[in-house]
Amino acid sequence: MPWGAGRRAASLNFCQGIGSSPIQSTVEHWRQAWHVARGGDRPEPGRAIWDMILGLERGEVSVFWVAATNPVVSLPDLERTKRALRNSPFTICQDAYFPTETTEFSHLVLPAAPWGEKTGVMTNSERVVTLCSRFRPALGQAKADWEIFAEVGRRLGYEAQFQAQTAAAVFDEFVALTGDRLCDMSGMSHARLLQGRCNGPCLRSKRRQPRPNGLTSDCIPTIDFSRRRGGPDFRIFMPKVWRNRRIRTTRLC
């Protein structure tokens, strides 16, 4: 899975900082950070997207909240997906674009700000973390995704857990949760990223060291991919039906 997605718990079986499945120790770590009483959490993982569709078919899902994606286009078996959405008691579509194929099945549409109208952090495939500041205010009633989630959380009675008022405060809470984990980002903040991009992991306890490419990094040493002749070894993997065909390759390094 992408390093950025995994460290943000974008997959239901990962926790912040690439934790494992939400085992009891991880749940306890989050409970203390978010001031949640025992018994107020779910020890089992949530549903994957197709499990949600099956849950809509069986009447087991009462609210289906879609944010920044378009399942009516991206999921397999689109006709079955559409039938499931027609069976949904309440579907929320949160998107920067309107209309979309999914908004046609939604009971409520929440306008989200696109990337240029909100401040956030981006991680690329090389683990380079960059602060992306907004260059214009959001139009109309649009809000950043975190603002929408926070407002709903407060209205549900979780004011103590959703006190952040800025994107920087949300990021501070996130990096604190990654401390001492595989993708430790505890040394990062919006203020630090304003000075330049950083590579992750970035530990709060280590000194920032300059790198030849101009970036700054507190990276934990990882595998050395260098070879005797210099450069990594790129190999092409292909299905058996293609193996007898001639292909042109280019040496990248």
Side-chain angles (χ1 to χ4, degrees):
M1 84 177 333
W3 190 79
R7 72 190 182 93
R8 286 180 171 82
S11 178
L12 60 90
N13 62 331
F14 279 81
C15 301
Q16 261 91 338
I18 309 291
S20 58
S21 297
I23 56 177
Q24 192 58 38
S25 60
T26 302
V27 171
E28 183 65 27
H29 176 70
W30 285 17
R31 181 188 293 117
Q32 293 178 5
W34 290 338
H35 311 291
V36 176
R38 291 183 180 275
D41 50 50
R42 292 182 54 182
E44 69 277 3
R47 296 174 186 257
I49 177 57
W50 194 248
D51 292 329
M52 297 179 195
I53 297 300
L54 298 179
L56 288 173
E57 290 181 340
R58 297 191 290 259
E60 298 171 354
V61 174
S62 56
V63 177
F64 186 66
W65 191 338
V66 180
T69 188
N70 196 359
V72 174
V73 171
S74 60
L75 288 184
D77 201 341
L78 294 180
E79 292 306 316
R80 186 173 182 179
T81 298
K82 293 176 183 178
R83 289 195 298 269
L85 286 174
R86 292 189 187 99
N87 193 48
S88 173
F90 190 65
T91 297
I92 304 169
C93 187
Q94 179 175 318
D95 209 313
Y97 303 96
F98 180 86
T100 69
E101 291 80 359
T102 301
T103 59
E104 298 181 11
F105 296 85
S106 302
H107 301 87
L108 174 65
V109 177
L110 299 176
W115 66 270
E117 298 177 2
K118 62 183 178 182
T119 295
V121 171
M122 178 186 69
T123 306
N124 70 9
S125 58
E126 295 179 329
R127 306 196 310 270
V128 177
V129 182
T130 306
L131 178 65
C132 302
S133 300
R134 72 175 188 174
F135 57 80
R136 59 170 295 165
L139 297 177
Q141 295 180 310
K143 297 179 181 292
D145 291 296
W146 73 264
E147 292 181 281
I148 296 174
F149 296 135
E151 184 172 342
V152 172
R154 287 191 293 267
R155 293 193 182 196
L156 291 174
Y158 294 95
E159 292 86 356
Q161 288 77 27
F162 292 96
Q163 295 182 359
Q165 298 297 316
T166 64
V170 174
F171 187 69
D172 288 343
E173 180 180 354
F174 159 69
V175 296
L177 285 167
T178 69
D180 298 323
R181 296 181 180 274
L182 181 59
C183 291
D184 191 332
M185 310 299 296
S186 58
M188 289 191 186
S189 66
H190 278 203
R192 177 169 177 177
L193 291 172
L194 279 172
Q195 302 173 16
R197 299 169 294 173
C198 292
N199 270 39
C202 178
L203 282 62
R204 185 184 300 274
S205 60
K206 290 186 176 290
R207 295 179 58 187
R208 184 168 63 175
Q209 299 177 351
R211 300 185 64 194
N213 59 7
L215 303 180
T216 57
S217 175
D218 297 324
C219 258
I220 298 174
T222 54
I223 300 173
D224 184 2
F225 290 99
S226 62
R227 304 178 64 205
R228 292 180 181 178
R229 297 182 181 178
D233 182 13
F234 291 92
R235 300 190 181 189
I236 299 175
F237 296 88
M238 63 187 70
K240 291 181 179 180
V241 294
W242 292 357
R243 290 181 182 174
N244 294 326
R245 299 182 183 180
R246 289 191 174 187
I247 59 173
R248 174 178 291 181
T249 60
T250 301
R251 182 172 175 81
L252 301 178
C253 298

